[in-house]
Amino acid sequence: MFTGFTDETVDFMWGIRFNNERGWFEAHKQTYLTQFYQPMCALADELYDFLAHQRPNLGLIRKVTRIYRDARRLHGRGPYKDHLWFCVEQPAEQWTAHPTFWFELGPDGWSYGLGYYMARPLTMAKLRARMDRDPKPMERLTRDLERQTEFTLETEDYKRPRSAPSRPALAPWYQAKSFSITHQDKLTDELFGRDIVAHLQQGFAFLLPYYDYFVTLDGDPDPRET
């Protein structure tokens, strides 16, 4: 059971940011395991159980990142991350294919939400085609998003929209190359106890109707063939 992150968690994150080399990490590896990685796994397990209970037929899985960067993609950076995250999603051959619930903790703060990491162009084309066919469900979801203050829509946009929106309120979705519905915060006190569990459960519960909408896009017809 998750009992909270600690001051040692924060100290380690800042430490690895400014001492990103093997010697320092090996000297502090036990702190990484007990104060960072293992608590993150415990938190991931609780949120996975919550979401799997809400959607038992989706075959959800949970993943927790490790601290080691891919040696092929260092690009001048050190070999370790200074942040960790977990995600809950449906399994897929291409891991960017499905929408993902996620939580991330770094030395500067934490964030969580729902979205895609580099959504496939076909996924976004199917989203636009679905909104063209029946705009009302996404209009309702967009209104609900605008009425609350926990999450914001963050998009990576095309330089030029691929098509005109069926309704003005839906314009941000038509412009998006990829997107996430995100909450970002500083290192709040709730991280250091169980309050963060209830916070994330409440937020993910709000996001479930969005997940239900996006996760079914794969089953839509290919708009390039119509």
Side-chain angles (χ1 to χ4, degrees), residues 55-60 89-91 211-212 215:
R55 297 295 185 271
N57 299 322
L58 293 183
L60 297 173
E89 61 188 3
Q90 283 187 320
Y211 184 85
D212 295 339
V215 79

Side-chain angles (χ1 to χ4, degrees), residues 49-199:
D49 288 345
F50 171 77
L51 290 166
H53 177 75
Q54 299 295 319
R55 297 295 185 271
N57 299 322
L58 293 183
L60 297 173
I61 60 172
R62 76 98 164 120
K63 300 176 184 178
V64 180
T65 187
R66 301 297 295 270
I67 198 169
Y68 309 98
R69 286 195 174 114
D70 188 335
R72 299 167 298 177
R73 298 180 175 88
L74 293 181
H75 304 299
R77 300 174 298 178
Y80 307 104
K81 308 183 189 86
D82 60 9
H83 56 283
L84 293 180
W85 67 88
F86 71 77
C87 61
V88 178
E89 61 188 3
Q90 283 187 320
E93 291 184 9
Q94 183 180 354
W95 67 275
T96 62
H98 290 165
T100 298
F101 293 99
W102 53 271
F103 167 85
E104 181 174 355
L105 176 63
D108 301 307
W110 62 278
S111 60
Y112 79 112
L114 169 70
Y116 290 87
Y117 178 73
M118 296 189 302
R120 297 180 299 180
L122 179 57
T123 298
M124 300 308 293
K126 288 183 175 183
L127 173 60
R128 294 190 296 272
R130 182 185 287 188
M131 291 188 294
D132 287 340
R133 291 193 306 272
D134 183 10
K136 289 184 178 180
M138 181 52 80
E139 278 190 309
R140 182 168 56 253
L141 290 172
T142 301
R143 285 196 302 270
D144 290 344
L145 192 59
E146 292 172 346
R147 289 169 179 164
Q148 53 79 57
T149 58
E150 177 75 358
F151 297 103
T152 58
L153 176 63
E154 297 184 356
T155 62
E156 179 187 357
D157 292 343
Y158 293 107
K159 292 182 179 178
R160 296 181 179 178
R162 288 298 188 264
S163 60
S166 57
R167 304 286 176 88
L170 300 179
W173 303 100
Y174 279 80
Q175 296 169 355
K177 182 187 300 185
S178 191
F179 68 89
S180 64
I181 304 171
T182 304
H183 173 86
Q184 297 188 20
D185 217 326
K186 60 188 181 203
L187 295 178
T188 49
D189 290 342
E190 59 194 327
L191 291 167
F192 301 94
R194 287 194 52 78
D195 288 348
I196 192 63
V197 178
H199 188 146

Side-chain angles (χ1 to χ4, degrees), residues 18-68:
F18 292 109
N19 303 276
N20 204 307
E21 47 86 19
R22 188 173 184 274
W24 191 93
F25 175 73
E26 290 298 328
H28 297 83
K29 186 173 182 178
Q30 193 61 29
T31 301
Y32 158 68
L33 291 172
T34 61
Q35 306 300 320
F36 199 6
Y37 182 70
Q38 291 170 5
M40 184 67 76
C41 289
L43 183 60
D45 287 342
E46 290 208 43
L47 272 299
Y48 166 77
D49 288 345
F50 171 77
L51 290 166
H53 177 75
Q54 299 295 319
R55 297 295 185 271
N57 299 322
L58 293 183
L60 297 173
I61 60 172
R62 76 98 164 120
K63 300 176 184 178
V64 180
T65 187
R66 301 297 295 270
I67 198 169
Y68 309 98

